[in-house]
Amino acid sequence: MADEVILLNYWPSMFGTRTMIALAEKNIKFDYREQDLFNKSSILLEMNPVHKKIPVLIHNGKPICESLIQVEYIDEAWPGKNPLLPSDPYQRAQAKFWGDFVDKKVYGPTRLIWGPKGEEQEAGAKEFIEMLKTLESELGDKVYFGGETFGYVDIALIGFYSWFDVLEKFGNFSIELECPKLIAWAKRCVKRESVAKSLPVSEEITKFVPELRKKIGIE
Amino acid sequence: MADEVILLNYWPSMFGTRTMIALAEKNIKFDYREQDLFNKSSILLEMNPVHKKIPVLIHNGKPICESLIQVEYIDEAWPGKNPLLPSDPYQRAQAKFWGDFVDKKVYGPTRLIWGPKGEEQEAGAKEFIEMLKTLESELGDKVYFGGETFGYVDIALIGFYSWFDVLEKFGNFSIELECPKLIAWAKRCVKRESVAKSLPVSEEITKFVPELRKKIGIE
């Protein structure tokens, strides 16, 4: 029996992008189902009753929630092609540490940057750049975060790249000036087919964010 | 060469408790080094320069940070005795989901409950009980979260048990009345030697929290 793989997602999500890239790296076909987060579908509520959030990966009827857990799951369920995590336990732990860092330290500031203007926005911009510099320092002169091979940490972070333009506009900074090596890394990543076909288009995110601000009543 | 295992911890931590239990389950001897979080040691700053937090597990000189990542690492680095995570990818993903749930949804409300009194405290108490009920519903009639075998999700949650008394006192609720099955589960867990010898003593946490409130200037 062929695998049935469904992804519930919302196109601008840097989290859903991770899961799409991981599936593409493994060459897994999936049924993409766009979700309306302002009017949640019964399938989303049924498949992720705890958090009620996208992305949800549904494999042969069974849901997996939380994007980094999905990436690990994809790597374990389809272990052959393009391993996403290293096999060495210590290297695995380091990859998970940096994936967790992106979730805990990078996402929060992005919300402040495009959120209500003022002090919070400035603090968010400062924090965001600082966190990117920490990541750039971890990247160092490597091709990808894991070394020569594209993998878990790259997948965890690259979804934010589509948001860089709009964050620069709202935050009044240049990421390339602050973190040139990180931008060079992002440009390497988007040359991969799995990334190129999964990332939201920057210009569309830049149009989307002001609309979102209106929709949630902060503009 | 024998493994050198060091744990940097602070005794009341529900996170450090996880790592201690996982090490005990694998029967790994370790050098416990108590840390002063108000005057951080050079070893802590060197071993966890990003978050500067305990617990830090140091295995043959190499640090692993973040308690759930440590538990996974311990399971992978010492795979023989007492597996902590299931081997099936889907079951592994489910275990990671609930471990992540504890970190994202249970810890925050506990800070509100013993923090400054007022509206936030009430909201924290309500949220905390609701999250415990979600966990109790996931536990259902199983012996442990993973079924018949003590493992990852049990380890993720049981460290909070030592804090239940003080949370009940500050939050003015009875966890046993609200979640009797969860309390029965906790009592089963503490019968395990690995848990009994790793958990902080409830009475000491109850003495510690008012002191901590004074120290951080909220009493």
Side-chain angles (χ1 to χ4, degrees), chain A residues 10-179:
Chain A
Y10 181 48
W11 70 271
S13 170
M14 52 280 270
F15 303 112
T17 302
R18 294 170 171 173
T19 311
M20 288 171 70
I21 295 171
L23 289 167
E25 285 289 328
K26 300 287 185 176
N27 213 13
I28 297 158
K29 291 212 172 83
F30 60 97
D31 176 5
Y32 181 100
R33 299 200 189 162
E34 185 70 8
Q35 301 296 302
D36 177 356
L37 297 189
F38 294 91
N39 181 17
K40 293 185 180 178
S41 69
S42 56
I43 187 174
L44 177 59
L45 298 175
E46 183 193 333
M47 289 290 157
N48 190 356
V50 172
H51 298 307
K52 305 175 179 71
K53 284 182 180 171
I54 57 89
V56 181
L57 178 70
I58 310 171
H59 185 195
N60 295 331
K62 295 191 292 183
I64 300 105
C65 300
E66 299 296 287
S67 61
L68 288 180
I69 295 174
Q70 289 163 2
V71 174
E72 286 181 52
Y73 173 77
I74 290 165
D75 204 31
E76 293 177 0
W78 291 277
K81 194 180 150 89
N82 292 347
L84 304 176
L85 277 155
S87 56
D88 171 69
Y90 186 74
Q91 295 305 324
R92 288 171 73 82
Q94 294 313 100
K96 288 173 195 166
F97 174 84
W98 288 108
D100 178 71
F101 176 87
V102 173
D103 279 1
K104 284 187 183 148
K105 298 291 187 180
V106 178
Y107 177 66
T110 69
R111 292 294 297 260
L112 296 179
I113 293 171
W114 63 260
K117 299 207 173 176
E119 263 176 48
E120 275 204 339
Q121 197 181 35
E122 249 175 71
K126 204 180 147 203
E127 181 81 359
F128 179 65
I129 293 295
E130 198 182 309
M131 296 303 119
L132 290 188
K133 282 183 193 249
T134 302
L135 283 161
E136 185 175 62
S137 148
E138 168 60 18
L139 176 67
D141 291 316
K142 290 175 291 190
V143 181
Y144 298 114
F145 278 90
E148 295 296 315
T149 320
F150 179 82
Y152 183 83
V153 183
D154 307 302
I155 292 173
L157 185 59
I158 194 63
F160 288 84
Y161 186 48
S162 303
W163 287 69
F164 278 10
D165 280 357
V166 79
L167 292 171
E168 288 186 334
K169 204 181 130 201
F170 277 93
N172 199 26
F173 49 68
S174 157
I175 299 172
E176 188 149 23
L177 275 182
E178 302 280 355
C179 305

